[in-house]
Amino acid sequence: MQRKNRTVIAVFLAPAVLLYLVFIVYPFLSSLRYSLYNWDGVGPLKDFVGLKNFTYILFSPQFAGQFWRAVYHNVYFFVLSMILTSIIGLGLAYLLMRIRETASRWLQVIYFIPMVVPPIVVAYLWAMYLEPNDGAIPVLLKALHLNFLNIAFLGSEQWALPVIAVITAWAGMGLPILIFIAALIGVPSEVLEAAKVDGASEFRTFFSVVFPMIKPTFLTITTLNFVGAFGVFDYIFIMEGTQAGPNYATDVIGTLFYRTAFGGFGTTAQGMGLATALAVLGFIIVMMASAILVLMQKRASADL
Amino acid sequence: MQTKRPVISYVLLALYALIVLLPLLDLVSMSFKDLPGIISHPFSIPTSIQWSNYADAWSEGNIGTFLVNTAIVAVVSVVIIVVCSSMAAYVIARFEFRGNQLIYLTFLAGLALPIQMIAVPLFVLMKQLHMLDSLLSVILVYSASGLSFSVFLLVNFIRSVPKDLEEAALLDGASHFQTFYRVILPLVRPALSTVALLNFVSAWNGFFFPLILLSDPNQMTVAVGVLSFVGQYATQWNLLLPALVMVMLPTVIVFIFASRQFIRNMTEGAIKL
């Protein structure tokens, strides 16, 4: 290769690569290292403890319960958002394909708007609607004579997490809709015509013709939902606080990590070493799931 | 996929549009009401318009400072990301060299990286650099973390553009920099607008990093600013609601302006997810 090209390559890559190395790659590697130390974040790293932070998180009576509860909540969040995005997201995308293009474009814009609204706004808006007794939703439920549903949703151990998952789905539906539309555009119309000629009902066509063809996209959505559900933090922190109340009913890896590293409001930080070990465990879960899903997706695409 | 019964489709689609829009429009309408009107009559048109809500929120709640800070963070991050990612993407998409694939994959891997995985070292690093409580810390973190998706999108986009024009420019004696600036950048403008939009939104809306890196009220961005605002004024909805509207408007307006190109990019294969 000519010398000149090498200079060009170096100059053009340098700014992005430097930024990325210093603020993403280096912190990532540091987290791996910190996780092997007992360290409160001040002073030099010197108390090397090997994998003790990990065994403490996974097996100790003091911490394991909190960890597994958080993982369970993340999984719960994932399952719920998967159900919501599959039914509502795919349903809306399917309907959007059947109407006139101009109308469809406008609706796609509208459906995407909540995705750009800051989470802090979404969180307080819905918190206000959910205010016990006076909020719009309790008022509405009372008007419908559904008094038994007049619950302090965000203050209920049973309801808080599913309600926050629904709010998150409300805010995040725009992207899955667009991804499903991109996939549905790719379904050849001859295939649909053929199904129609064969006398297949619309339901039948959808489940036996369309659905198998968009399976790879479905797996993409699953991956996005999984990464999203394991990264969930903003809404829970804003609506339920550092302690992820009521009584830790909404505690997820994100909030547990925050308390462990930074403490706050009645919790003392337990150390940066322990917190990074927690982050590493979360990272391993996300990586393993993504790897499996990407492999499944490759296979599904190859089958088409 | 035209069918005989579009009416049902339209009804269902309109219903979901209402579910999306009604709360947001209601937020704007409520922000103009007086306090008793907000609590007792949700979903009603305000009887008298209280502009003073906005003035009060701006002055008492420090919202003005938060908005200016957030605008600085969002705009500077977007400029840095657009410049760095387009230059890198050009080289990754068009030059063959050792390490090309490795660099590309390293950028891609950032897409699935949980923020907790970099949070503690970044906090420690910013403390060592004396950048805690400085907007620069958040700008740098957003600039770096925005690169993954931007490089990914631009590499794909540049690869989809034919090479003829650049080759002609290079043959005419243009330097690589001139070719990049005069040929590549105009060609990838549609993708750049999406890069700018998405990064503007995520920097404006970002919550976690301002939360751990900024605690001085004069250096806060809106997300954390509003959190402290609520800590101070609790359920004074007549102050909180106008604050929320002001926090929300910039991203919504920017999105609506850029939306046509964005939707086209997302659904017509410019971005293959």
Side-chain angles (χ1 to χ4, degrees), chain A residues 263-275:
Chain A
F265 303 113
T267 319
T268 29
Q270 294 191 55
M272 297 292 193
L274 189 64

Side-chain angles (χ1 to χ4, degrees), chain B residues 10-22:
Chain B
Y10 275 112
V11 170
L12 290 170
L13 290 167
L15 195 69
Y16 194 74
L18 275 184
I19 294 176
V20 165
L21 284 182
L22 209 58

Side-chain angles (χ1 to χ4, degrees), chain A residues 1 20 31 111 116 128-129, chain B residues 13 26 30 96 106 117 251:
Chain A
M1 192 173 300
Y20 198 75
S31 274
Y111 295 165
V116 307
M128 184 181 64
Y129 284 155
Chain B
L13 290 167
D26 181 47
M30 278 189 303
E96 279 172 34
T106 311
M117 217 28 218
T251 50

Side-chain angles (χ1 to χ4, degrees), chain A residues 221-245:
Chain A
I221 297 283
T222 312
T223 314
L224 287 179
N225 268 326
F226 196 89
V227 174
F230 271 77
V232 61
F233 176 78
D234 298 5
Y235 291 113
I236 291 174
F237 187 90
I238 297 165
M239 294 180 165
E240 303 288 0
T242 325
Q243 311 274 3

